[in-house]
Amino acid sequence: MEFFIDTGNLEEIKESYRWGIIDGVTTNPSLVAKEGIDQRSLITSISEIVDGPISAEVISTDAPGMLKEAYELAEIHKNVVIKLPMTKEGMVACHELSQKDIKTNITLVFSANQALLAAKNGATYVSPFIGRLDDIGQTGVQLIAEIKDIFDNYAFQTKILAASIRHVDHLKSCALVGADVATIPYKVLNQLFMHPLTTSGLEQFLKDHANSLK
Ligand code: E4P
Protein backbone atom coordinates (compact mmCIF):
# COMPACT_ATOMS: atom_id res chain seq x y z
CA MET A 1 0.00 0.00 0.00
CA GLU A 2 1.35 3.41 -0.94
CA PHE A 3 1.03 6.43 1.34
CA PHE A 4 0.67 9.94 -0.04
CA ILE A 5 0.55 13.03 2.17
CA ASP A 6 -2.51 15.22 1.54
CA THR A 7 -1.13 18.73 1.97
CA GLY A 8 0.53 21.66 0.28
CA ASN A 9 2.59 22.54 3.32
CA LEU A 10 6.31 22.13 2.61
CA GLU A 11 7.30 21.68 6.26
CA GLU A 12 4.75 18.86 6.69
CA ILE A 13 6.01 17.25 3.49
CA LYS A 14 9.69 17.53 4.51
CA GLU A 15 9.07 16.15 8.00
CA SER A 16 6.87 13.20 6.95
CA TYR A 17 9.13 12.32 3.99
CA ARG A 18 11.96 11.98 6.52
CA TRP A 19 10.01 9.16 8.23
CA GLY A 20 10.41 7.00 5.11
CA ILE A 21 6.73 6.16 4.72
CA ILE A 22 5.70 8.74 2.11
CA ASP A 23 5.49 7.71 -1.55
CA GLY A 24 3.86 10.83 -2.99
CA VAL A 25 1.81 13.99 -2.40
CA THR A 26 -1.70 15.15 -3.25
CA THR A 27 -2.80 18.77 -3.33
CA ASN A 28 -6.07 20.45 -4.23
CA PRO A 29 -7.02 24.10 -4.83
CA SER A 30 -8.08 24.56 -1.18
CA LEU A 31 -4.79 23.16 0.15
CA VAL A 32 -2.74 25.30 -2.29
CA ALA A 33 -4.73 28.43 -1.33
CA LYS A 34 -3.79 27.89 2.34
CA GLU A 35 -0.08 28.16 1.51
CA GLY A 36 -0.34 31.63 -0.08
CA ILE A 37 1.95 30.88 -3.03
CA ASP A 38 1.12 30.09 -6.63
CA GLN A 39 0.56 26.48 -7.61
CA ARG A 40 3.45 26.29 -10.06
CA SER A 41 6.02 27.42 -7.46
CA LEU A 42 4.52 25.11 -4.85
CA ILE A 43 4.55 22.02 -7.09
CA THR A 44 8.13 22.84 -8.14
CA SER A 45 9.20 23.01 -4.48
CA ILE A 46 7.41 19.75 -3.66
CA SER A 47 9.14 18.02 -6.57
CA GLU A 48 12.49 19.04 -5.07
CA ILE A 49 11.60 17.21 -1.82
CA VAL A 50 9.64 14.12 -2.88
CA ASP A 51 10.63 11.57 -5.50
CA GLY A 52 7.16 10.22 -6.26
CA PRO A 53 3.77 11.14 -7.75
CA ILE A 54 2.60 14.70 -6.99
CA SER A 55 -1.04 15.48 -7.81
CA ALA A 56 -1.72 19.02 -9.03
CA GLU A 57 -5.35 19.94 -9.73
CA VAL A 58 -6.72 21.97 -12.63
CA ILE A 59 -9.25 24.71 -11.94
CA SER A 60 -10.79 25.08 -15.41
CA THR A 61 -14.23 23.54 -15.88
CA ASP A 62 -14.06 23.00 -19.65
CA ALA A 63 -11.91 20.34 -21.31
CA PRO A 64 -9.79 22.72 -23.46
CA GLY A 65 -8.99 24.82 -20.39
CA MET A 66 -8.20 21.72 -18.32
CA LEU A 67 -5.90 20.40 -21.03
CA LYS A 68 -4.05 23.71 -21.35
CA GLU A 69 -3.44 23.71 -17.58
CA ALA A 70 -2.56 20.01 -17.63
CA TYR A 71 0.18 20.40 -20.25
CA GLU A 72 1.67 23.35 -18.34
CA LEU A 73 1.60 21.44 -15.04
CA ALA A 74 3.03 18.27 -16.62
CA GLU A 75 6.02 20.29 -17.82
CA ILE A 76 7.01 21.15 -14.24
CA HIS A 77 8.32 17.67 -13.43
CA LYS A 78 7.97 14.09 -14.66
CA ASN A 79 6.30 13.13 -11.35
CA VAL A 80 3.37 15.53 -11.74
CA VAL A 81 -0.02 13.80 -11.90
CA ILE A 82 -2.89 15.85 -13.33
CA LYS A 83 -5.86 15.95 -10.99
CA LEU A 84 -9.16 16.34 -12.85
CA PRO A 85 -12.70 16.56 -11.50
CA MET A 86 -15.19 13.74 -12.13
CA THR A 87 -17.25 15.61 -14.73
CA LYS A 88 -17.92 15.00 -18.41
CA GLU A 89 -15.36 17.67 -19.28
CA GLY A 90 -12.90 16.08 -16.84
CA MET A 91 -13.41 12.75 -18.59
CA VAL A 92 -12.77 14.31 -22.01
CA ALA A 93 -9.48 15.70 -20.69
CA CYS A 94 -8.64 12.37 -18.99
CA HIS A 95 -9.16 10.48 -22.24
CA GLU A 96 -6.75 12.73 -24.14
CA LEU A 97 -4.11 12.73 -21.38
CA SER A 98 -4.28 8.91 -21.10
CA GLN A 99 -3.59 8.60 -24.81
CA LYS A 100 -0.52 10.81 -24.33
CA ASP A 101 0.69 8.77 -21.33
CA ILE A 102 0.25 11.70 -18.95
CA LYS A 103 -0.75 10.46 -15.50
CA THR A 104 -4.15 11.49 -14.11
CA ASN A 105 -5.98 11.42 -10.79
CA ILE A 106 -9.76 11.71 -10.98
CA THR A 107 -11.00 13.55 -7.93
CA LEU A 108 -14.35 14.11 -6.19
CA VAL A 109 -15.45 10.52 -6.77
CA PHE A 110 -18.46 9.51 -4.69
CA SER A 111 -19.89 6.47 -6.51
CA ALA A 112 -18.66 3.18 -7.97
CA ASN A 113 -20.05 4.15 -11.38
CA GLN A 114 -17.98 7.33 -11.39
CA ALA A 115 -14.89 5.24 -10.62
CA LEU A 116 -15.79 2.88 -13.46
CA LEU A 117 -15.98 5.82 -15.91
CA ALA A 118 -12.54 7.03 -14.80
CA ALA A 119 -11.07 3.55 -15.25
CA LYS A 120 -12.58 3.21 -18.72
CA ASN A 121 -10.88 6.47 -19.70
CA GLY A 122 -7.52 5.17 -18.53
CA ALA A 123 -7.13 7.24 -15.34
CA THR A 124 -3.97 6.41 -13.39
CA TYR A 125 -5.70 7.01 -10.05
CA VAL A 126 -9.29 7.39 -8.92
CA SER A 127 -9.93 9.27 -5.67
CA PRO A 128 -13.03 8.27 -3.69
CA PHE A 129 -13.57 10.78 -0.84
CA ILE A 130 -14.50 8.59 2.09
CA GLY A 131 -14.64 11.23 4.85
CA ARG A 132 -17.08 13.39 2.92
CA LEU A 133 -19.34 10.34 2.39
CA ASP A 134 -19.23 9.64 6.13
CA ASP A 135 -20.18 13.30 6.66
CA ILE A 136 -23.50 12.73 4.85
CA GLY A 137 -24.28 9.53 6.75
CA GLN A 138 -22.89 6.97 4.30
CA THR A 139 -20.02 4.54 4.87
CA GLY A 140 -17.13 5.79 2.77
CA VAL A 141 -15.01 2.67 3.04
CA GLN A 142 -17.86 0.61 1.54
CA LEU A 143 -17.33 2.57 -1.67
CA ILE A 144 -13.65 1.60 -1.69
CA ALA A 145 -14.64 -2.08 -1.35
CA GLU A 146 -17.14 -1.81 -4.23
CA ILE A 147 -14.61 -0.12 -6.53
CA LYS A 148 -12.02 -2.76 -5.62
CA ASP A 149 -14.41 -5.57 -6.63
CA ILE A 150 -15.32 -3.85 -9.91
CA PHE A 151 -11.71 -3.11 -10.86
CA ASP A 152 -10.72 -6.71 -10.01
CA ASN A 153 -13.62 -8.08 -12.14
CA TYR A 154 -12.24 -6.38 -15.23
CA ALA A 155 -8.52 -6.17 -14.36
CA PHE A 156 -8.51 -2.37 -14.66
CA GLN A 157 -5.06 -0.91 -13.99
CA THR A 158 -6.44 2.29 -12.41
CA LYS A 159 -5.27 2.56 -8.80
CA ILE A 160 -7.73 3.24 -5.99
CA LEU A 161 -6.49 6.27 -4.06
CA ALA A 162 -8.50 6.58 -0.84
CA ALA A 163 -8.96 10.30 -0.11
CA SER A 164 -10.65 12.48 2.49
CA ILE A 165 -9.16 10.35 5.27
CA ARG A 166 -10.03 11.90 8.61
CA HIS A 167 -8.77 9.46 11.25
CA VAL A 168 -6.57 6.41 11.79
CA ASP A 169 -9.44 3.90 11.55
CA HIS A 170 -10.17 5.16 8.04
CA LEU A 171 -6.68 4.10 7.02
CA LYS A 172 -7.00 0.65 8.61
CA SER A 173 -10.37 0.08 6.92
CA CYS A 174 -8.97 1.13 3.54
CA ALA A 175 -6.03 -1.24 3.98
CA LEU A 176 -8.35 -4.11 4.93
CA VAL A 177 -10.40 -3.72 1.74
CA GLY A 178 -7.30 -3.34 -0.44
CA ALA A 179 -7.04 0.34 -1.46
CA ASP A 180 -3.86 0.73 -3.51
CA VAL A 181 -3.01 4.14 -2.06
CA ALA A 182 -4.21 6.36 0.77
CA THR A 183 -3.64 10.08 0.86
CA ILE A 184 -3.37 11.09 4.48
CA PRO A 185 -3.30 14.48 6.26
CA TYR A 186 -0.22 15.26 8.37
CA LYS A 187 -2.18 15.12 11.64
CA VAL A 188 -3.43 11.59 10.91
CA LEU A 189 0.05 10.46 9.78
CA ASN A 190 1.36 11.50 13.20
CA GLN A 191 -1.42 9.64 14.97
CA LEU A 192 -0.54 6.40 13.15
CA PHE A 193 2.63 6.05 15.21
CA MET A 194 0.92 6.39 18.56
CA HIS A 195 -0.13 3.76 21.05
CA PRO A 196 -0.29 4.34 24.83
CA LEU A 197 1.38 0.97 25.50
CA THR A 198 4.30 1.95 23.23
CA THR A 199 4.72 5.19 25.20
CA SER A 200 4.46 3.59 28.64
CA GLY A 201 6.57 0.59 27.63
CA LEU A 202 9.38 2.79 26.35
CA GLU A 203 9.26 4.95 29.48
CA GLN A 204 9.64 1.82 31.64
CA PHE A 205 12.54 0.46 29.54
CA LEU A 206 14.42 3.75 29.82
CA LYS A 207 13.71 3.99 33.57
CA ASP A 208 14.96 0.43 34.18
CA HIS A 209 18.08 1.10 32.10
CA ALA A 210 18.81 4.32 34.04
CA ASN A 211 18.30 2.49 37.38
CA SER A 212 20.70 -0.27 36.31
CA LEU A 213 23.47 2.34 35.95
CA LYS A 214 23.11 3.59 39.54
C1 E4P B 1 -7.46 14.37 -1.90
O1 E4P B 1 -7.13 14.27 -3.03
C2 E4P B 1 -8.39 15.41 -1.42
O2 E4P B 1 -7.85 16.62 -1.79
C3 E4P B 1 -8.60 15.37 0.05
O3 E4P B 1 -8.33 14.10 0.56
C4 E4P B 1 -9.92 15.93 0.49
O4 E4P B 1 -10.06 15.75 1.88
P1 E4P B 1 -11.16 16.53 2.74
O5 E4P B 1 -12.50 15.93 2.44
O6 E4P B 1 -10.75 16.31 4.16
O7 E4P B 1 -11.10 17.97 2.31
Side-chain angles (χ1 to χ4, degrees), residues 67-137:
L67 286 164
K68 182 174 181 294
E69 285 185 63
Y71 292 124
E72 287 167 4
L73 289 167
E75 269 176 13
I76 298 175
H77 194 278
K78 64 177 172 48
N79 287 339
V80 171
V81 175
I82 308 302
K83 208 169 174 192
L84 301 162
M86 169 35 75
T87 59
K88 285 179 189 162
E89 293 299 299
M91 286 300 93
V92 172
C94 178
H95 189 243
E96 178 170 320
L97 295 173
S98 302
Q99 286 175 332
K100 298 199 168 170
D101 282 333
I102 294 177
K103 292 193 166 73
T104 52
N105 172 3
I106 306 307
T107 189
L108 293 166
V109 166
F110 294 97
S111 78
N113 283 335
Q114 289 180 325
L116 183 53
L117 295 174
K120 280 188 66 66
N121 271 2
T124 315
Y125 301 96
V126 64
S127 288
F129 276 35
I130 65 171
R132 293 191 195 188
L133 280 173
D134 288 1
D135 290 345
I136 60 162

Side-chain angles (χ1 to χ4, degrees), residues 6 26-28 31 83 105 107 127 129 132 163-166 183:
D6 195 25
T26 53
T27 63
N28 65 37
L31 294 171
K83 208 169 174 192
N105 172 3
T107 189
S127 288
F129 276 35
R132 293 191 195 188
S164 188
I165 287 188
R166 302 276 173 74
T183 189

Side-chain angles (χ1 to χ4, degrees), residues 109-112 128-129 133 139-148:
V109 166
F110 294 97
S111 78
F129 276 35
L133 280 173
T139 307
V141 72
Q142 179 60 33
L143 174 60
I144 305 279
E146 287 175 3
I147 298 171
K148 174 82 179 158

Side-chain angles (χ1 to χ4, degrees), residues 6 12 48-49 91:
D6 195 25
E12 292 181 358
E48 285 160 7
I49 303 168
M91 286 300 93

Side-chain angles (χ1 to χ4, degrees), residues 152-169:
D152 286 352
N153 284 346
Y154 298 100
F156 281 121
Q157 296 303 301
T158 301
K159 288 185 176 179
I160 303 171
L161 197 176
S164 188
I165 287 188
R166 302 276 173 74
H167 49 73
V168 292
D169 273 357

